[in-house]
Amino acid sequence: MEQRIIHACGHEQAHHLTGYDSQQERKARWLRTTTCRDCFVVKKRAEEAAAAALSSAAVAHLDLPLLTGTDRQISWASTIRTKRLAEVTALCGVADYHACLQMTDAKWWIDHRDQTDVDLMAAATQALDTQSVTAVTASITDMPRTT
Ligand SMILES: [Zn+2]
């Protein structure tokens, strides 16, 4: 049964409620305490933007190399890279994540976006090891070496 619910934010929204009357009543009562879908999306976007701003601030000092790939890949990968580097730089030493800083292939970041922090750092180290030395940018010589 479709019911119009006035949400906590003051907006009205139609909901399709199912189940017994008592279940529908309980669901309707709960829905009235929540925000409507539009307000939920707005709030979620604001939270994401705030989190992205925090991540950007956390990696601002890293002087990251430009990513390579298509415009679309670069834009997506740069969001992923910022978020992941903000995480690993907060948790790990530069020795662990310095390989990640050298990964400029946008596709690599997109392909590895769901990896755990440990797997991400290991994959970056491995990828750099298999690259020829000449492909590694000059900036790596500025990084603390750990061997
Ligand atoms: Zn609302």
Side-chain angles (χ1 to χ4, degrees):
M1 182 185 100
E2 185 154 294
Q3 214 175 314
R4 312 240 9 132
I5 302 280
I6 312 260
H7 285 272
C9 53
H11 299 129
E12 194 182 56
Q13 191 186 321
H15 289 271
H16 189 73
L17 302 177
T18 54
Y20 297 113
D21 284 356
S22 59
Q23 290 173 320
Q24 291 191 18
E25 183 47 45
R26 207 174 317 134
K27 182 95 190 287
R29 217 180 307 137
W30 173 76
L31 283 168
R32 281 183 208 110
T33 68
T34 65
T35 58
C36 73
R37 198 179 301 119
D38 290 347
C39 285
F40 177 79
V41 169
V42 167
K43 185 162 168 276
K44 191 125 176 62
R45 288 225 182 96
E47 281 170 4
E48 280 168 4
L54 272 181
S55 296
S56 295
V59 301
H61 66 289
L62 290 174
D63 194 21
L64 295 168
L66 290 175
L67 293 169
T68 57
T70 66
D71 286 349
R72 215 180 104 87
Q73 284 175 329
I74 290 172
S75 143
W76 189 14
S78 114
T79 309
I80 297 165
R81 181 173 68 168
T82 301
K83 182 168 172 281
R84 299 309 304 267
L85 284 181
E87 288 163 10
V88 297
T89 55
L91 297 169
C92 311
V94 68
D96 297 315
Y97 64 76
H98 78 95
C100 291
L101 303 180
Q102 311 303 322
M103 298 310 297
T104 54
D105 182 7
K107 193 173 174 300
W108 186 89
W109 284 100
I110 293 166
D111 289 346
H112 292 80
R113 69 186 180 281
D114 292 327
Q115 302 246 298
T116 64
D117 290 346
V118 171
D119 288 346
L120 185 79
M121 291 184 287
T125 305
Q126 200 179 14
L128 277 192
D129 283 349
T130 55
Q131 273 178 17
S132 71
V133 177
T134 50
V136 179
T137 57
S139 65
I140 197 166
T141 55
D142 300 331
M143 299 298 303
R145 304 307 296 263
T146 51
T147 52

